[in-house]
Amino acid sequence: MTTESPATAASAAVWSPILALPELVELRRRRRAVTTGLGLIAIALFSGFLVGFAYFPEFLGDNTAFGVPLSLWVVFSQFAGTWVLVYAYFRLSRAYIQPAADDAVRAIAQRDQEHVS
């Protein structure tokens, strides 16, 4: 059995209408899309690294590309892939998430002005 304190119930009552604002729903949808997509790519990148070194160590160590063992290319791909994901997140944050965040802030401010007046 869970009981809510009066402060918790009051907070839920205040945030419920705000969470239902279309602008905030859109912001949450965009953030979820970006973080889920990039998160899945990060998991795939790291899983590929683990699978390669767990099941194909001889292949990665014995073969080369441009004179460098494939194992070093796989390790470099982790480093480069991480930076690419970070760059993509910052880029998407500015271009895709931030406009929705600005709209959500304006909608919340407008809602507050309507309820105060």
Side-chain angles (χ1 to χ4, degrees):
M1 175 182 225
T2 60
T3 58
E4 290 186 18
S5 67
T8 305
S11 295
V14 171
W15 278 101
S16 294
I18 293 173
L19 291 174
L21 288 173
E23 293 85 357
L24 199 60
V25 170
E26 176 64 14
L27 172 61
R28 292 169 58 205
R29 185 194 66 76
R30 287 183 184 198
R31 286 190 63 216
R32 183 175 41 250
V34 169
T35 56
T36 300
L38 294 178
L40 289 174
I41 293 169
I43 289 169
L45 187 67
F46 187 62
S47 296
F49 172 80
L50 291 177
V51 168
F53 278 95
Y55 296 106
F56 306 104
E58 295 87 16
F59 177 77
L60 293 174
D62 294 341
N63 295 303
T64 62
F66 304 109
V68 178
L70 291 180
S71 59
L72 289 178
W73 285 110
V74 171
V75 170
F76 176 72
S77 75
Q78 297 299 300
F79 175 77
T82 300
W83 281 106
V84 167
L85 288 173
V86 168
Y87 174 79
Y89 179 79
F90 283 130
R91 181 89 172 150
L92 288 169
S93 291
R94 280 192 312 264
Y96 185 64
I97 296 173
Q98 191 59 48
D102 294 339
D103 292 342
V105 168
R106 278 192 295 276
I108 291 169
Q110 181 181 6
R111 180 190 174 280
D112 286 346
Q113 287 178 353
E114 290 172 356
H115 282 76
V116 171
S117 301

